[in-house]
Amino acid sequence: MATGVLPFIRGIDFSKNDFGDDKFPTTIKEMNRVQWLTLDNTKLCEIPEELGNLFKLECLSLKNNSLEKLFGELTELPCLRSLNLRHNQIKSSGVPPELFRLEELTTLDLSHNKLKEVPEGLERAKSLLVLNLSHNQIESIPTALFIHLTDLLFLDLSDNRLETLPPQTRRLANLHTLNLANNPLELFQLRQLPSLQSLESLNMRNTQRTLLNFPTTLDSLSNLSELDISKNMLPKIPDCVYNLPNLKRVNLSDNAITELSSNIEFWQKLEVLNLSRNQLTTLPGAICKLTYLRCLYVNDNRLDFDGIPSGIGKLCSLEIFSASNNLLEMIPEGLCRCGALKKLNLSSNKLITLPEAIHLLEGLDQLDLRNNPDLIMPPKPSEAVKGAGVEFYNIDFSLQTQLLLAGAAPPPTVPATSSTKDSTARKIRLRRGPRTDSDQDSAKILKGMKDIAKDKDESQGSFDDFQPESLKPKRWDESLEKPHLDYSKFFEKEDGQIPGLTIWEIENFLPNKIEEVAHGKFYEGDCYIILKTYLDEMGQLGWEIYFWIGNEATLDKRACAAIHAVNLRNYLGARCRTIREEQNDESEEFLALFDTEVSYIEGGRTATGFYTVEDMLYTMRLYRVHAAGSSVHLEPVAVHFDSLDPRYAFMLDCGIKLYIWLGCASKNTLNSKTRLMAEKINKTERKNKCEIIVELQGEESEDFWKNFGVDPDEVSKKKILQHVPDNFEPVTPRLYQVQLGMGYLELPQVELGDKKLVHTLLNSKNVYILDCYTDLFVWFGKKSTRLVRAAAIKLSRELFQMINRPTFALVTRLQEETESQIFKSKFVGWDEVMAVDFTRTANSVAKTGADLNKWARKQETRADLAALFMPRQNAMPLSEAEQLEEDWNYDLEAMEAFVLEGKKFVRLPEEELGNFYTGECYVFLCRYCIPVEDEDVDVDEIKQSDDEIQCVVYFWQGRNAGNMGWLTFTFTLQKNSKQCLEKN
């Protein structure tokens, strides 16, 4: 069904769709106003003929495809300005000369292809500003090319087979960036280089540069700020390079440089300097004058302690210092004075120790000290405390030291007596109840007195400002504390800050801002809030607030319009009153707000917030469950018998019933997580009214097969086959953002940080379309406008129809904060199914030969899946944790620790006690001495009576540990421990 929205689309991103094998959507030819189109990684083998109708197309991207020829439709696009064809299979013969007759073409990218020569006719593209021919097999540049392309700003010829450049290169007077890296240019003398006076970036990495084929002067390149001459085996930096005062980034790595000249101080604007993989033994002191230097890399050299200048602390802007794989035994203390330092790499050296000032680098984020076997870290200096000794200005102010300096004998020190545990005294304290710490109580009293005095000092101002407190008793409502309300959930920062008219409609109890084109058009079944912002005579902002009530509006809309009108007044801090306006009874002041006559529209546009008592309609769907990290991926499949596979778990959603079908070869982890997902759907979407039914393969109920349209009596005659490929990968979801402008629509894809789809990408002000091929979701933000929502609905229909999809594919609309679990599962870390410890699964225990039923009855195990959905408890305060630790460990007399090695638990070395590894399993055998709880026993009897001895065995399993640890402990070590304890 056509929506008529395609002609209004200005741009769309179809990246990562499968348009191979004649799957390209034919409806694209109807987008005759499109200006940019992205078809990256769409498996295209030829240029689709539908592109020939896009006469207003300006930017076209066809990266990462399998194109070999460009003949056809591209030459018929008169407005084409940018053409990106990198990472294809294009040959020189496959580029038509007519392509370069396009007068508007300014950007051309043919990198990462199979060009052996410059395409014929390229010199006719006189409007080119950006040309990228890198990563091809080009051996020479035609002489006529640079005669005509004099407007070039960017030229990339790297990674080719060029041995020289034509003399006409000097005509590129406007060139800003030149990349010649990885070309055998040994015979090229760079005589044309000084003529490129506008050059800002020059890359000659691995171009066989020597001191003989380097220009004698580069003084004319006064604008050059970035220079890369790495990997050229230069014995030293050419002298002409020191005469470039505006350099900001210099890469001299992978050469044979043995020393640096003091002329390096002329690079006063230098920010990044890379000298890695050279033969430097020392850095000149002049490098300390580069006050703007932020990054200094000297990895893989021969620097020792004397090779780093002591004045390096003058580099006040230095953020990164990397000196790995050198001969450093120590670093100068001045390096610790670089206050801006964030990353320090000293790995693979011969470090013995570091300066104590290393602890003073508060902004240091990364410190790499790997492969320094003899390194001993200096102790961290303690915090300065009055009277503590050498803490202030390195002077000892202690009484003993000062008496010695005065010539007097210091008083004898009283040795501190070590306190030993008195078990009898503690038993008496246990009977008396919880102990009280007098020191803590006195400290709390003093702190309280100080706080009261401080509050009084702050409350007492000048005598003139002091007003006596009224003795009149307050009314009950005056003494109530007003709650703090966050109005930013309803209104935006710019609301009421610019003169004009702003209107909100009430939808689901909340205000929703409408577009300016809809002002003055009110639905009879809706309510609106109208804000007029103006400037008074003093130039201050003033406001008038109205709320309009439609004759057919429901009670919730009427009440919320009045409430949010008051909220808007409080949010703005306005002193005006809110004015009620009713349909057909508006005041003249209200009607004067609009330029045109107010019109009424029959019906209501927004939904009421009240629940409607009606039966929900559900679409029956079948999902195949795949593992996806700690969560699961639900792949929609056809509700058909042939869709079942014995290696997987399936979930059949029938609305009021959720069937979980477990294949005979499905993994226990998937089975359990499928049940967890069903529990979540029932709890969050079905109000716990859904019935969850587990069906095992071969034991299915008749109702289950009726949903598939299969006669239960004929099921035994059919066989469920393994048909899902072992290398199955779900389609990567594509997230589009719907953008609306003045008369146009755009559908760009959202850039994913770290290539992960996370729910934080969703903005409440926008509308998004998530295309998962078999599912297409339309997500509406709470603060999105009406027009964008309407456009998204039409775009979703077109996007759904223009791509060939299976018959069971669906379009689903979702409101913010009411998303379904299926939608949430598409995002990483959004309310995902919790990872469960499956060490006690039936299969793993059965392999040991143990009787699982007998063991379960003895353990009295219970499985309550609802407990997995409880909120996480808050962390315990440190003081409470320390007190609890002291109370629990006071009775601890002895502890023995064991670790699993192979198939046996061995005693844990004492030096490893307290260190836990995620791939290991530990057992702790603890012996506690518990006092007798008898209030009538006196002190003498306590001394003679034996305390009760209790032993507790703790088992700790790392997250990445296998099942063998728990099984060995349960069926071997635990039994032996009990026998030993019973004998003792």
Side-chain angles (χ1 to χ4, degrees):
M1 181 180 64
T3 61
V5 73
L6 292 181
F8 296 96
I9 296 179
R10 192 177 72 170
I12 190 168
D13 187 351
F14 280 118
S15 299
K16 299 179 181 178
N17 279 283
D18 186 2
F19 290 159
D21 299 329
D22 297 330
K23 296 179 184 178
F24 192 80
T26 58
T27 54
I28 287 184
K29 61 184 179 181
E30 300 178 14
M31 298 189 296
N32 47 27
R33 297 184 185 178
V34 69
Q35 295 182 9
W36 63 267
L37 181 62
T38 302
L39 297 171
D40 300 340
N41 198 8
T42 52
K43 300 182 180 180
L44 289 175
C45 297
E46 58 183 11
I47 303 297
E49 62 179 9
E50 288 81 3
L51 297 184
N53 296 331
L54 309 181
F55 298 111
K56 294 187 177 181
L57 187 64
E58 297 180 2
C59 300
L60 176 61
S61 181
L62 292 162
K63 297 187 299 183
N64 296 289
N65 285 289
S66 302
L67 299 174
E68 296 182 359
K69 299 179 180 180
L70 303 179
F71 290 98
E73 288 69 20
L74 293 184
T75 59
E76 301 175 4
L77 304 178
C79 298
L80 191 62
R81 294 186 178 183
S82 176
L83 181 59
N84 193 338
L85 296 164
R86 64 167 53 195
H87 287 284
N88 278 281
Q89 308 294 326
I90 302 173
K91 300 180 180 179
S92 301
S93 58
V95 182
E98 295 80 10
L99 179 64
F100 306 117
R101 295 179 181 176
L102 299 176
E103 298 180 355
E104 301 292 335
L105 189 62
T106 59
T107 302
L108 178 62
D109 191 340
L110 289 169
S111 60
H112 296 272
N113 279 283
K114 296 183 177 181
L115 300 177
K116 293 186 177 181
E117 57 185 11
V118 175
E120 181 184 355
L122 181 57
E123 65 276 2
R124 298 192 185 97
K126 298 180 180 180
S127 300
L128 273 182
L129 301 177
V130 177
L131 177 60
N132 190 347
L133 298 174
S134 62
H135 293 85
N136 281 285
Q137 304 171 19
I138 301 175
E139 298 181 353
S140 62
I141 301 295
T143 304
L145 182 63
F146 295 147
I147 295 179
H148 299 91
L149 305 184
T150 56
D151 293 334
L152 277 179
L153 300 177
F154 178 94
L155 178 60
D156 191 348
L157 299 172
S158 60
D159 293 274
N160 278 286
R161 301 176 182 177
L162 298 175
E163 295 183 359
T164 185
L165 293 180
Q168 289 74 15
T169 306
R170 62 171 57 94
R171 291 176 172 267
L172 305 178
N174 298 315
L175 196 64
H176 288 176
T177 302
L178 177 60
N179 191 347
L180 301 173
N182 300 316
N183 278 289
L185 295 171
E186 181 179 5
L187 302 178
F188 183 50
Q189 298 294 328
L190 294 179
R191 295 175 182 176
Q192 301 89 337
L193 195 59
S195 302
L196 309 180
Q197 299 182 5
S198 300
L199 202 61
E200 297 178 0
S201 176
L202 177 60
N203 189 343
M204 292 189 295
R205 175 184 176 87
N206 191 22
T207 54
Q208 301 180 10
R209 295 297 92 198
T210 63
L211 296 179
L212 299 178
N213 59 19
F214 216 89
T216 56
T217 178
L218 294 175
D219 296 345
S220 59
L221 303 182
S222 58
N223 296 319
L224 194 64
S225 61
E226 183 173 354
L227 177 63
D228 188 345
I229 51 176
S230 59
K231 208 171 183 179
N232 282 293
M233 298 304 293
L234 291 171
K236 68 174 185 177
I237 301 177
D239 295 336
C240 60
V241 176
Y242 290 113
N243 298 327
L244 300 172
N246 292 320
L247 284 177
K248 294 183 178 180
R249 291 171 293 277
V250 177
N251 188 356
L252 297 166
S253 60
D254 295 284
N255 280 288
I257 302 174
T258 56
E259 61 179 354
L260 299 178
S261 171
S262 59
N263 293 332
I264 197 174
E265 63 181 346
F266 294 143
W267 294 341
Q268 285 298 309
K269 297 182 180 181
L270 192 65
E271 297 179 2
V272 180
L273 177 59
N274 191 347
L275 295 166
S276 301
R277 293 174 294 279
N278 280 285
Q279 301 177 15
L280 294 173
T281 57
T282 181
L283 297 178
I287 201 173
C288 303
K289 298 181 180 180
L290 306 179
T291 55
Y292 290 98
L293 189 63
R294 294 186 296 105
C295 305
L296 179 58
Y297 301 93
V298 289
N299 305 317
D300 297 276
N301 279 282
R302 302 176 183 177
L303 297 174
D304 55 10
F305 175 77
D306 297 328
I308 301 179
S310 58
I312 196 172
K314 298 178 182 179
L315 299 177
C316 56
S317 302
L318 190 64
E319 297 178 1
I320 299 176
F321 181 77
S322 185
S324 64
N325 199 15
N326 278 279
L327 304 176
L328 295 172
E329 296 182 351
M330 184 71 177
I331 60 172
E333 189 173 359
L335 186 60
C336 302
R337 297 194 185 100
C338 299
L341 199 62
K342 296 181 179 179
K343 181 178 179 181
L344 180 59
N345 185 1
L346 300 173
S347 60
S348 302
N349 277 280
K350 299 181 179 180
L351 291 175
I352 300 176
T353 186
L354 294 176
E356 293 185 359
I358 194 71
H359 297 289
L360 303 179
L361 292 173
E362 298 180 354
L364 192 64
D365 296 332
Q366 298 182 20
L367 177 60
D368 193 347
L369 299 173
R370 293 173 297 176
N371 298 328
N372 286 285
D374 300 329
L375 176 63
I376 300 177
M377 287 294 293
K380 188 175 182 179
S382 57
E383 296 182 359
V385 181
K386 291 185 178 180
V390 187
E391 302 293 345
F392 298 94
Y393 306 102
N394 205 23
I395 300 176
D396 193 350
F397 288 101
S398 63
L399 177 61
Q400 289 79 2
T401 303
Q402 297 302 320
L403 289 175
L404 288 174
L405 293 176
T413 58
V414 179
T417 59
S418 59
S419 60
T420 60
K421 289 186 178 180
D422 189 350
S423 59
T424 303
R426 182 175 183 276
K427 294 172 184 177
I428 296 175
R429 289 197 301 272
L430 288 173
R431 294 186 180 87
R432 293 175 180 174
R435 62 188 180 198
T436 58
D437 195 335
S438 59
D439 295 338
Q440 294 181 358
D441 293 342
S442 61
K444 292 179 180 178
I445 294 173
L446 290 175
K447 184 178 183 300
M449 295 174 64
K450 291 179 180 179
D451 293 341
I452 293 174
K454 183 178 179 181
D455 294 340
K456 287 186 176 181
D457 292 340
E458 293 178 354
S459 62
Q460 289 179 352
S462 61
F463 181 76
D464 298 335
D465 297 336
F466 177 76
Q467 295 180 356
E469 185 177 353
S470 175
L471 298 178
K472 182 179 178 180
K474 294 182 179 180
R475 285 176 15 187
W476 67 272
D477 55 346
E478 293 179 352
S479 61
L480 293 177
E481 183 179 357
K482 294 183 179 180
H484 175 71
L485 298 178
D486 184 12
Y487 298 109
S488 61
K489 296 180 180 179
F490 313 128
F491 307 105
E492 301 175 0
K493 293 182 179 180
E494 59 269 18
D495 292 339
Q497 305 303 316
I498 301 176
L501 202 63
T502 309
I503 301 180
W504 294 265
E505 61 185 359
I506 302 299
E507 182 178 8
N508 288 326
F509 302 122
L510 297 176
N512 181 31
K513 188 185 298 185
I514 64 175
E515 298 290 339
E516 187 176 354
V517 295
H519 288 184
K521 301 176 182 178
F522 300 123
Y523 283 85
E524 296 179 353
D526 291 337
C527 295
Y528 298 84
I529 299 174
I530 298 92
L531 171 65
K532 177 185 178 182
T533 307
Y534 61 91
L535 295 175
D536 58 14
E537 298 177 353
M538 302 298 294
Q540 301 294 329
L541 287 174
W543 300 279
E544 294 179 5
I545 302 176
Y546 303 84
F547 59 98
W548 185 88
I549 307 297
N551 290 338
E552 304 298 330
T554 56
L555 180 60
D556 63 312
K557 295 182 180 180
R558 295 169 180 257
C560 290
I563 293 172
H564 288 303
V566 177
N567 290 340
L568 178 60
R569 184 187 65 183
N570 296 338
Y571 176 70
L572 298 174
R575 297 185 178 182
C576 64
R577 52 187 289 264
T578 58
I579 304 173
R580 177 187 175 98
E581 301 285 347
E582 295 186 4
Q583 182 181 347
N584 296 321
D585 193 22
E586 295 88 354
S587 62
E588 295 183 0
E589 293 81 3
F590 177 78
L591 297 176
L593 297 176
F594 306 96
D595 298 333
T596 59
E597 185 178 354
V598 173
S599 60
Y600 306 129
I601 303 175
E602 185 178 356
R605 200 201 69 83
T606 61
T608 177
F610 291 148
Y611 288 108
T612 56
V613 182
E614 59 182 11
D615 295 333
M616 295 295 294
L617 299 178
Y618 297 100
T619 302
M620 184 184 300
R621 302 205 75 189
L622 180 64
Y623 299 95
R624 187 175 63 239
V625 183
H626 295 263
S630 60
S631 186
V632 292
H633 168 74
L634 301 180
E635 180 70 18
V637 295
V639 185
H640 195 274
F641 181 87
D642 295 335
S643 299
L644 300 177
D645 191 309
R647 297 171 298 171
Y648 294 92
F650 289 79
M651 184 172 66
L652 179 63
D653 187 358
C654 300
I656 59 175
K657 290 185 179 181
L658 277 174
Y659 291 93
I660 299 177
W661 185 85
L662 305 180
C664 60
S666 60
K667 297 182 180 179
N668 289 325
T669 54
L670 286 181
N671 298 345
S672 300
K673 290 184 178 181
T674 305
R675 177 60 187 263
L676 289 176
M677 177 61 74
E679 291 281 355
K680 278 194 173 184
I681 293 176
N682 182 30
K683 182 178 180 181
T684 59
E685 302 176 26
R686 312 291 163 83
K687 302 178 183 180
N688 287 326
K689 296 182 180 180
C690 180
E691 182 182 0
I692 300 177
I693 304 172
V694 179
E695 303 280 358
L696 301 179
Q697 183 177 354
E699 303 176 7
E700 298 87 351
S701 62
E702 294 183 1
D703 293 338
F704 176 76
W705 290 123
K706 288 180 181 179
N707 293 316
F708 286 82
V710 179
D711 188 355
D713 298 332
E714 298 180 0
V715 173
S716 58
K717 302 177 183 179
K718 295 185 178 182
K719 185 178 181 180
I720 300 177
L721 303 177
Q722 299 182 5
H723 60 88
V724 180
D726 296 334
N727 58 349
F728 171 80
E729 289 291 337
V731 176
T732 303
R734 294 170 295 280
L735 183 62
Y736 299 92
Q737 178 185 345
V738 181
Q739 295 182 356
L740 178 63
M742 297 299 294
Y744 66 86
L745 292 169
E746 288 187 338
L747 201 61
Q749 290 193 24
V750 179
E751 295 184 5
L752 306 181
D754 298 331
K755 297 183 179 180
K756 292 183 179 180
L757 186 63
V758 292
H759 70 279
T760 54
L761 296 171
L762 304 177
N763 192 326
S764 298
K765 297 181 180 181
N766 301 328
V767 178
Y768 298 88
I769 297 177
L770 182 65
D771 189 355
C772 305
Y773 183 59
T774 52
D775 273 317
L776 194 141
F777 301 93
V778 186
W779 185 87
F780 302 105
K782 292 187 298 185
K783 298 181 180 180
S784 58
T785 60
R786 183 201 307 176
L787 292 180
V788 177
R789 294 187 179 197
I793 293 174
K794 294 184 178 181
L795 276 176
S796 63
R797 295 175 185 171
E798 294 290 350
L799 187 61
F800 183 81
Q801 294 174 2
M802 68 173 53
I803 297 176
N804 294 328
R805 304 176 190 268
T807 55
F808 53 85
L810 285 181
V811 179
T812 308
R813 302 175 190 174
L814 301 166
Q815 296 285 343
E816 185 177 3
E817 297 182 353
T818 61
E819 298 87 354
S820 64
Q821 288 297 136
I822 304 296
F823 178 75
K824 291 180 180 179
S825 66
K826 307 298 181 182
F827 295 81
V828 178
W830 190 3
D831 197 18
E832 61 185 11
V833 177
M834 297 175 59
V836 184
D837 185 7
F838 297 101
T839 55
R840 294 192 183 187
T841 57
N843 292 339
S844 60
V845 177
K847 291 179 181 179
T848 63
D851 187 355
L852 181 62
N853 296 329
K854 181 179 179 180
W855 174 77
R857 287 194 299 269
K858 186 177 181 180
Q859 296 288 330
E860 295 181 357
T861 56
R862 296 179 60 190
D864 184 9
L865 294 177
L868 297 175
F869 305 103
M870 296 178 62
R872 187 185 182 96
Q873 296 182 357
N874 296 328
M876 183 181 296
L878 180 60
S879 58
E880 185 178 348
E882 293 176 348
Q883 182 65 35
L884 184 63
E885 179 185 7
E886 181 180 354
D887 293 341
W888 276 83
N889 293 336
Y890 194 92
D891 297 324
L892 182 64
E893 285 195 347
M895 181 179 69
E896 295 186 11
F898 303 89
V899 63
L900 181 67
E901 288 189 1
K903 297 183 179 180
K904 296 182 179 180
F905 280 94
V906 299
R907 194 176 301 275
L908 182 69
E910 186 175 355
E911 60 271 12
E912 295 186 12
L913 190 63
N915 298 327
F916 294 88
Y917 295 91
T918 58
E920 301 288 352
C921 296
Y922 301 87
V923 172
F924 298 91
L925 179 60
C926 300
R927 177 187 176 97
Y928 293 94
C929 179
I930 308 300
V932 180
E933 299 294 339
D934 190 355
E935 298 182 357
D936 298 335
V937 181
D938 57 7
V939 177
D940 295 334
E941 293 178 354
I942 292 176
K943 295 180 181 178
Q944 296 176 1
S945 63
D946 293 334
D947 295 332
E948 181 183 354
I949 302 299
Q950 292 185 2
C951 293
V952 181
V953 181
Y954 299 96
F955 175 79
W956 188 94
Q957 178 175 341
R959 179 175 299 174
N960 300 328
N963 303 341
M964 185 56 64
W966 173 251
L967 297 175
T968 304
F969 169 74
T970 303
F971 300 107
T972 304
L973 186 62
Q974 186 178 8
K975 182 178 179 181
N976 296 338
S977 301
K978 288 185 178 181
Q979 294 176 355
C980 295
L981 294 175
E982 291 175 356
K983 292 180 181 180
N984 297 332

